[in-house]
Amino acid sequence: MVQRLAGKTALITAAGQSIGLATAELFAAQGARVIATDIRIESLEGKPFEARKLDVLDKGAIEALAQEIGSIDMLFNCSGFVHAGSILEATEADWDFAFDLNAKAMYRTIRAFLPKMLEKGAARLSTCRRQRRT
């Protein structure tokens, strides 16, 4: 396999299962140094990457990890939650939890890691534009 990510460092949140785990394994296979984070790291042990416990709802923990790790090249925010019922079944606490995990956690990780990524020249912005039909 081509080592397209050799020399790059990737931080992946919610890497303990599903898309996060598959991405961590793929990035490692592509040669990246992978720092795989999750609130439960048991499923990350023995894998070809570094496993770190991280609760992305904890702003202080995110900032501490950013200080400890330093600059990274890639940040893959994979943490997320979807309520199983309809909006009529969701409580305000359910909504707050979903917003905290799906939006605020990503905001916090980006805020913590992006400044050093920009200094390094590692950050890239990609946008998707819709064309209006007239």
Side-chain angles (χ1 to χ4, degrees), residues 3 6 38 40 46 54 66 68 70 75 79 91 107 119-120 122-123 128:
Q3 298 284 296
D38 205 288
R40 290 179 290 277
L54 178 65
E68 180 185 340
L75 172 60
S79 300
T91 66
Y107 166 81
E119 285 176 16
K120 186 177 182 179
C128 184

Side-chain angles (χ1 to χ4, degrees), residues 83-95:
H83 185 271
S86 75
I87 191 74
L88 297 175
E89 297 164 320
T91 66
E92 192 163 330
D94 293 332
W95 181 255

Side-chain angles (χ1 to χ4, degrees), residues 8-67:
K8 303 290 185 189
T9 299
L11 179 84
I12 302 172
T13 66
Q17 61 184 358
S18 297
I19 295 169
L21 181 57
T23 303
E25 290 172 338
L26 178 63
F27 282 13
Q30 291 287 323
R33 171 189 173 214
V34 175
I35 303 162
T37 69
D38 205 288
I39 56 174
R40 290 179 290 277
I41 63 169
E42 297 79 23
S43 63
L44 299 173
E45 294 171 356
K47 302 283 186 184
F49 40 74
E50 299 172 39
R52 300 286 185 99
K53 183 174 182 170
L54 178 65
D55 180 352
V56 295
L57 297 175
D58 183 343
K59 180 182 177 187
I62 293 168
E63 291 171 349
L65 184 62
Q67 287 297 318

